[in-house]
Amino acid sequence: MKRERLPWALGWVSLGIGLTELTFPKGLCRVLGASRHNAGLMKVLGLREVVSGLGLLTQRHRRPWVWARVAGDAIDLALLAVTFRLPRANRAWQGAITAAVVGVTLVDLYAATAKRTPPLLRSDAVTPSLGMGAENGGPAESWRGSGLAEDLGTSSRHGDEGEADEVKQRMMKEAERKLGLPKLS
């Protein structure tokens, strides 16, 4: 999964968890063995998840929102630890929920601590901003003959009529250099 997609996916996970906690707070309390009076706390936890999810889905800088998820996971794990002492808890559901929270916590920690360095472009790589990612081996020469080289060339003239091959070759080389395309040797 691409690094930019992971926070986005975690945003949708947060929305799902939060809406579940907001919709079924008493049922979740019953499964965990907690009193129905704790349904308000469950709704607050759900609201926290929804806000984190919306932050991950709508904000440009997502790292603080991922760290908010990590902090929320710590709170969730602490509260789940308390429920293991409750006699009315459904141990199978309690174990499954705890395992899921631990798994999501590990993913959140990975997303929060992953380096955000752009991939290094080799001198012979195709510039990804052209829509031809280097990883898929896109056609490096498809731009030639499209007029793009002439648009990026150093000459202020735009016509092909009367230009010498030498001038066209210079313009092509200049465009290759500006676009970072591999040389045709």
Side-chain angles (χ1 to χ4, degrees):
M1 184 177 289
K2 288 186 178 180
R3 286 186 180 146
E4 292 301 316
R5 290 185 183 176
L6 183 57
W8 180 80
L10 289 173
W12 284 108
V13 168
S14 283
L15 283 179
I17 293 169
L19 292 175
T20 302
E21 290 173 337
L22 287 170
T23 306
F24 306 108
K26 290 180 182 176
L28 288 170
C29 286
R30 185 179 67 246
V31 165
L32 293 172
S35 168
R36 288 185 182 197
H37 300 293
N38 292 326
L41 175 61
M42 189 65 69
K43 287 181 180 181
V44 169
L45 296 174
L47 186 61
R48 181 205 73 222
E49 286 284 354
V50 168
V51 169
S52 294
L54 289 174
L56 285 166
L57 292 173
T58 62
Q59 299 301 309
R60 184 172 184 209
H61 301 288
R62 295 182 174 133
R63 186 167 282 206
W65 294 101
V66 175
W67 278 111
R69 279 193 48 82
V70 172
D73 293 339
I75 292 168
D76 292 343
L77 288 171
L79 292 172
L80 282 168
V82 170
T83 66
F84 274 96
R85 291 186 281 160
L86 301 175
R88 297 179 300 182
N90 181 329
R91 298 294 180 217
W93 274 106
Q94 200 174 35
I97 291 171
T98 303
V101 172
V102 168
V104 169
T105 301
L106 293 174
V107 173
D108 288 342
L109 279 170
Y110 172 77
T113 60
K115 285 189 173 187
R116 300 285 194 262
T117 57
L120 296 175
L121 292 178
R122 301 181 320 269
S123 63
D124 62 337
V126 177
T127 306
S129 64
L130 295 174
M132 300 179 286
E135 70 274 0
N136 66 7
E141 292 146 21
S142 65
W143 66 277
R144 289 179 176 88
S146 67
L148 182 59
E150 288 80 10
D151 292 341
L152 292 173
T154 57
S155 174
S156 60
R157 295 176 289 161
H158 293 290
D160 281 340
E161 306 85 23
E163 290 185 355
D165 283 338
E166 178 180 308
V167 174
K168 286 183 185 178
Q169 290 299 322
R170 182 182 49 80
M171 290 174 64
M172 293 291 278
K173 287 182 182 186
E174 181 67 19
E176 281 178 352
R177 186 187 62 75
K178 285 183 180 180
L179 293 171
L181 294 175
K183 297 183 190 235
L184 292 175
S185 300

